[in-house]
Amino acid sequence: MRPTDQTIALSNPDGAQLGTIQKAGLAILAAGLFAALIALGVRENSQPWLFFIVSFGLVTVGTLIFIINTFLSQPPGVKNNGIWFKPISSRKNAAYLLGIIITVFYIVLYWFPGYLENWIRMCDPLSQLLRSKPADQWFLYGTFYTISIVIMGLRAILKYRHSPYQIIRTSSIIFFQLGFAYLIPALLQFLNQPEFYFSYFWPLKYNYLFPNDIHSLLSQPGGLGVFMVFWTAVMSLIATPILTYFFGKRWYCSWVCGCGGLANTAGDSFRQLSDKSLRAWKIERRTVYSVLVLIVLITALLWINSFSGGTVFGSLSTGLAKSYGFFIGAIFSGVIGVGFYPIMGTRVWCRFGCPMAAYLGILQKYFSRFRITTNGGQCISCGNCSTYCEMGIDVRWYAQRGQNIVRASCVGCGMCSTVCPRGVLNLENGPMHGRMENGPIQLSEKGPYIPS
Ligand code: SF4
Ligand code: SF4
């Protein structure tokens, strides 16, 4: 018996002790990371495949051994044992160190890719196989990103295997990342077609509705470029409102998008770090809608300039688009959005910066059938729902009042419902009428209470 099994405390300050198989998994993972570090420093690497297989292979195998043993050795059901006591998931020094490592990686990736040259060359054989051309920093990044989502997606499936919603949702995330955001763009390049991501739409992939990109796609020989323009316009402007009307923003933010996908898989251990304060909610509303207004404005200016032959705004609109790409597209969504996972939680970008989330949020709040219903009489105020809401929503506040949750920021991940021990919360699509009203039942010593 492990020493910590002897306590009957609900909250065990020591957390779980590692077993032999888990330690073996971590040792293999560490060996893979060590091999990757060596590969980074090797000059004239003549065996890129070997380094690729050894480093990626050991990391993958070690992580899988650890994950499978950790989650299959205990019965189904959410176990977040010791999450507030582990330094890595409770903003201790290890979390800051990890945050710095990820942030530095992003800075090097975006602006100093030369330092990653050996890792990029290590991906050459795979890139040749998939795209018929040598790797670059974005192929390296896409490979890291996709492997992270696949492996950590398997972890999420095992961890939440008692919940069909979480299993199907996580499988969808893996499918869209692997297929639509990695293999299909690679295949397009293999066939000498423009690189295109069918799972990203304007305003998240902001340049997809910029005049230059549209003109360039339309000038492609064959009909594929025309189809891409048609796809991006229809998905951004027609399908998005329709799907959001029926399903809320979850159809995109929690089932398709790679940013949300990474947050819900690789970032699962950090979701409890989101700030639940009213102040954070206020900041969130200001920043996320400002970014949306900015990108709508820039897109409009670019089109006006394009129609006028560049006489109206000159280089101003292009300069604005470039600045947006640097500050929002690179610094905010990449460096801060992922680098700050261990400190601010996993949806920093989705919550404070993503214009797609803002656009979907407005639709969800005012033109959607989606809501989370709460059976207030069952709530024991444990607070699990609020703790694990990655979007910083104080779910318990609504549950205690038996009030439906109709919040623009809710991404419909369903985790509040999954971790609720009393089955209080339900993600539902129903008639729009009356969805913002309070539920009828709240029990008190004086009998049922009907909120006005
Ligand atoms: S309220 Fe629930 S479904 Fe919505 S984002 Fe928070 S945890 Fe996910
Ligand atoms: S997790 Fe369930 S029981 Fe606990 S506070 Fe939230 S709604 Fe209430």
Side-chain angles (χ1 to χ4, degrees), residues 52 58 202 349 364 436:
F52 183 84
L58 288 179
W202 181 92
W349 162 245
Q364 169 162 282
M436 294 206 194

Side-chain angles (χ1 to χ4, degrees), residues 41-325:
V42 168
R43 282 195 195 166
E44 308 285 329
N45 186 353
S46 57
Q47 305 285 347
W49 254 125
L50 189 65
F51 274 96
F52 183 84
I53 288 172
V54 170
S55 53
F56 277 74
L58 288 179
V59 168
T60 305
V61 170
T63 312
L64 285 177
I65 289 175
F66 182 81
I67 288 168
I68 291 171
N69 184 262
T70 301
F71 293 106
L72 284 190
S73 62
Q74 47 189 325
V78 180
K79 306 278 188 308
N80 285 318
N81 298 345
I83 200 162
W84 284 111
F85 300 102
K86 290 178 189 154
I88 200 79
S89 57
S90 59
R91 292 199 194 101
K92 298 288 185 326
N93 288 347
Y96 280 94
L97 183 64
L98 181 64
I100 290 169
I101 290 173
I102 303 173
T103 305
V104 168
F105 172 75
Y106 267 88
I107 292 171
V108 173
L109 179 82
Y110 276 100
W111 296 290
F112 310 99
Y115 288 107
L116 300 174
E117 186 61 20
N118 282 357
W119 279 357
I120 295 171
R121 299 285 65 85
M122 209 167 72
C123 294
D124 271 342
L126 183 64
S127 180
Q128 289 289 358
L129 186 74
L130 295 176
R131 313 190 305 167
S132 187
K133 63 181 188 184
D136 53 19
Q137 87 236 55
W138 303 119
F139 182 77
L140 168 78
Y141 179 51
T143 306
F144 273 174
Y145 202 97
T146 305
I147 289 178
S148 304
I149 287 188
V150 173
I151 296 178
M152 297 305 276
L154 292 174
R155 172 189 179 275
I157 288 174
L158 287 180
K159 181 176 176 188
Y160 302 114
R161 65 188 184 279
H162 61 298
S163 162
Y165 183 78
Q166 297 301 345
I167 292 175
I168 299 169
R169 190 176 72 81
T170 309
S171 305
S172 166
I173 289 170
I174 294 174
F175 171 78
F176 279 104
Q177 176 60 35
L178 189 59
F180 282 59
Y182 189 67
L183 293 177
I184 292 179
L187 179 68
L188 287 170
Q189 291 172 78
F190 189 88
L191 300 172
N192 277 327
Q193 296 294 330
E195 187 178 2
F196 194 82
Y197 295 79
F198 286 95
S199 54
Y200 287 99
F201 319 120
W202 181 92
L204 175 56
K205 195 77 178 157
Y206 48 91
N207 55 319
Y208 276 12
L209 280 189
F210 283 0
N212 277 354
D213 283 58
I214 297 231
H215 292 146
S216 143
L217 284 176
L218 290 178
S219 63
Q220 293 291 322
L224 192 58
V226 177
F227 174 72
M228 288 169 177
V229 171
F230 173 77
W231 174 264
T232 204
V234 167
M235 289 309 296
S236 306
L237 306 174
I238 300 172
T240 291
I242 294 175
L243 289 168
T244 309
Y245 170 76
F246 284 108
F247 307 112
K249 72 199 274 189
R250 58 175 159 164
W251 75 269
Y252 190 71
C253 295
S254 289
W255 290 67
V256 174
C257 179
C259 306
L262 191 73
N264 284 169
T265 52
D268 182 64
S269 307
F270 307 114
R271 59 181 306 131
Q272 72 282 358
L273 300 173
S274 63
D275 189 339
K276 314 294 187 304
S277 68
L278 285 176
R279 188 172 147 268
W281 186 10
K282 206 182 273 179
I283 295 172
E284 164 197 319
R285 292 197 305 257
R286 285 187 185 149
T287 55
V288 82
Y289 294 118
S290 301
V291 174
L292 177 63
V293 168
L294 194 59
I295 193 58
V296 169
L297 209 64
I298 290 173
T299 309
L301 292 184
L302 284 169
W303 277 104
I304 293 170
N305 213 32
S306 166
F307 283 128
S308 71
T311 54
V312 180
F313 297 111
S315 58
L316 175 72
S317 47
T318 323
L320 278 174
K322 278 191 182 153
S323 307
Y324 180 92

